[in-house]
Amino acid sequence: MRFIKKRYISFLILLSLCLVEYAQAKEYLYVTHERRDIVSVIDIKEKKVIKKIHVGKGPTDIAFYPEKKLIAVSHKGESSEFIWLIDSTTYKSKQKTMSAITRHRERGSSHLQFNDNYTRLYAIDDENNHLEIFDTKDWKPIKKVDLDLKPMAITLSPANKEAYITTLYKGSIHILDLESNAIKGNIVIDGAPADVAVSKDGKTLYISDIVNSKIIIMEWSTKKILKNIVVGNRPKRLLLNPDGKTLYVANYYSNSITVIDTERMEAAAVIPSGILPFDIALSKDGRWLFSSNYDESSISIIDTKTNKVAEKILVEIYPSRIEFASF
């Protein structure tokens, strides 16, 4: 009986510790400001900026490495040190990653994406038109892949063991083999693909066409177009919610976000988000959608149950890429 009581007490202590840990878990948004050379840190619970991290010249994208609590920030400045690694607990730069290719002009942007197990960091340079793949053990580039003109985004599909790299000027989407790190084919559309989202099972691709203001729904195995959905003007960023039933589309020139029901393959709502929605991010549970409003100096907090803006957080001018993190 005494042994059972001890085990019960131990269980209660462990449970209480877990509850405390859960209660103390915090959620943040990291926001790049290209023309201010800073990254803003927003405490989501407090709904305010708690820190401005000074980074390199022209920060253009951001990616989060949860296990090591690292923030990777890419830059467009004239420097070969174009990726900074920042400790998210101290807000200090821990390391600067050397690119194999030196940027000669302060133009364009670079886009970042970690793979699922965080062993690789993929960096796209849309001015030099190439992809660099970094090993996260030593943060050194292990391969450079040449791309078509103006690559815009990279989306990984672990289910298909490939990644999709959109390029604007030829209407092509490169298919990158994640094992060989080589381009194994292309998908070509009659338009300008800006971003791709992939269903969790890898069977469906969603492609934003910024020229024709539509979302293309494509069957992965056959590359057959299942449906075209007209959305707002210049749809740039796409984001699937965790259950895959809803696709969010940031319509840059329409100042709105289109909500697409992926099961019915039709638009379910249009949310007035803010002026020039540049990027979007979701909370871990999918309840809140965040939109960086480039020409409004704000972040919109959108309730995904009502599809309405619940609140706006004022930030520095020209907020661009945003990344959600919880730890």
Side-chain angles (χ1 to χ4, degrees):
M1 186 70 177
R2 186 177 298 172
F3 175 73
I4 294 174
K5 285 184 178 179
K6 284 184 178 180
R7 290 194 64 180
Y8 181 69
I9 292 170
S10 298
F11 171 76
L12 288 177
I13 292 172
L14 180 62
L15 179 62
S16 63
L17 289 173
C18 290
L19 289 173
V20 169
E21 184 178 353
Y22 178 78
Q24 291 177 342
K26 292 191 175 182
E27 297 179 327
Y28 300 96
L29 274 185
Y30 297 90
V31 186
T32 61
H33 301 269
E34 182 181 316
R35 300 192 188 184
R36 280 290 184 264
D37 301 340
I38 62 170
V39 171
S40 293
V41 184
I42 296 174
D43 186 312
I44 293 175
K45 185 178 180 181
E46 298 294 328
K47 296 183 177 64
K48 66 179 182 180
V49 176
I50 59 171
K51 184 70 178 178
K52 295 175 184 178
I53 308 171
H54 292 276
V55 293
K57 193 169 185 178
T60 59
D61 204 1
I62 189 166
F64 189 61
Y65 187 163
E67 185 180 343
K68 293 193 175 182
K69 296 183 179 178
L70 283 177
I71 309 162
V73 182
S74 60
H75 302 81
K76 68 190 298 182
E78 190 174 352
S79 171
S80 59
E81 295 178 344
F82 81 109
I83 298 177
W84 284 26
L85 300 170
I86 298 169
D87 188 320
S88 64
T89 57
T90 65
Y91 305 121
K92 293 181 179 179
S93 173
K94 294 187 69 175
Q95 189 174 346
K96 296 176 183 179
T97 301
M98 300 294 289
S99 168
I101 305 298
T102 301
R103 297 180 65 88
H104 298 291
R105 291 177 293 178
E106 296 176 11
R107 292 173 52 185
S109 300
S110 50
H111 311 284
L112 301 177
Q113 179 69 56
F114 282 106
N115 63 355
D116 270 16
N117 58 10
Y118 297 93
T119 59
R120 297 286 184 268
L121 175 64
Y122 300 86
I124 290 176
D125 188 325
D126 70 6
E127 179 65 22
N128 290 312
N129 304 312
H130 70 256
L131 163 72
E132 278 191 286
I133 304 170
F134 294 85
D135 188 324
T136 59
K137 286 183 179 180
D138 54 15
W139 300 102
K140 291 181 179 179
I142 58 175
K143 189 166 185 180
K144 172 182 169 291
V145 181
D146 292 325
L147 306 171
D148 283 341
L149 292 175
K150 206 64 177 176
M152 291 293 291
I154 179 169
T155 304
L156 275 63
S157 174
N160 300 334
K161 297 182 180 179
E162 59 190 30
Y164 309 100
I165 303 170
T166 56
T167 61
L168 283 185
Y169 292 160
K170 289 189 177 181
S172 65
I173 301 167
H174 295 308
I175 303 173
L176 179 76
D177 187 294
L178 295 178
E179 294 181 352
S180 66
N181 292 324
I183 302 296
K184 65 178 185 180
N186 294 283
I187 299 169
V188 180
I189 68 166
D190 183 17
D195 200 6
V196 174
V198 190
S199 61
K200 190 175 289 187
D201 59 10
K203 293 181 179 180
T204 308
L205 306 181
Y206 304 92
I207 303 165
S208 61
D209 180 353
I210 66 172
V211 170
N212 298 304
S213 298
K214 66 182 181 182
I215 302 303
I216 300 168
I217 302 179
M218 181 178 289
E219 185 178 56
W220 170 75
S221 60
T222 64
K223 306 301 184 288
K224 177 184 176 182
I225 295 175
L226 302 176
K227 193 168 184 180
N228 292 310
I229 301 175
V230 176
V231 291
N233 193 5
R234 201 173 175 82
K236 289 182 66 176
R237 297 290 286 175
L238 301 178
L239 190 60
L240 273 170
N241 75 341
D243 64 15
K245 294 180 180 179
T246 306
L247 177 72
Y248 298 100
V249 184
N251 305 308
Y252 190 64
Y253 283 166
S254 292
N255 305 325
S256 66
I257 293 170
T258 300
V259 183
I260 293 176
D261 184 323
T262 59
E263 293 181 331
R264 301 180 66 177
M265 291 195 290
E266 62 183 32
V270 178
I271 306 167
S273 56
I275 302 173
L276 303 184
F278 193 97
D279 198 10
I280 47 180
L282 270 171
S283 61
K284 194 173 182 179
D285 59 4
R287 173 64 193 276
W288 304 102
L289 178 71
F290 307 96
S291 165
S292 59
N293 306 313
Y294 189 78
D295 213 24
E296 193 179 272
S297 301
S298 71
I299 304 295
S300 294
I301 304 176
I302 298 165
D303 187 333
T304 59
K305 288 188 176 180
T306 63
N307 287 329
K308 292 182 179 179
V309 175
E311 194 167 348
K312 288 186 178 181
I313 303 171
L314 296 180
V315 294
E316 287 274 357
I317 62 171
Y318 306 122
S320 46
R321 295 291 192 182
I322 56 176
E323 180 81 2
F324 173 85
S326 175
F327 55 88

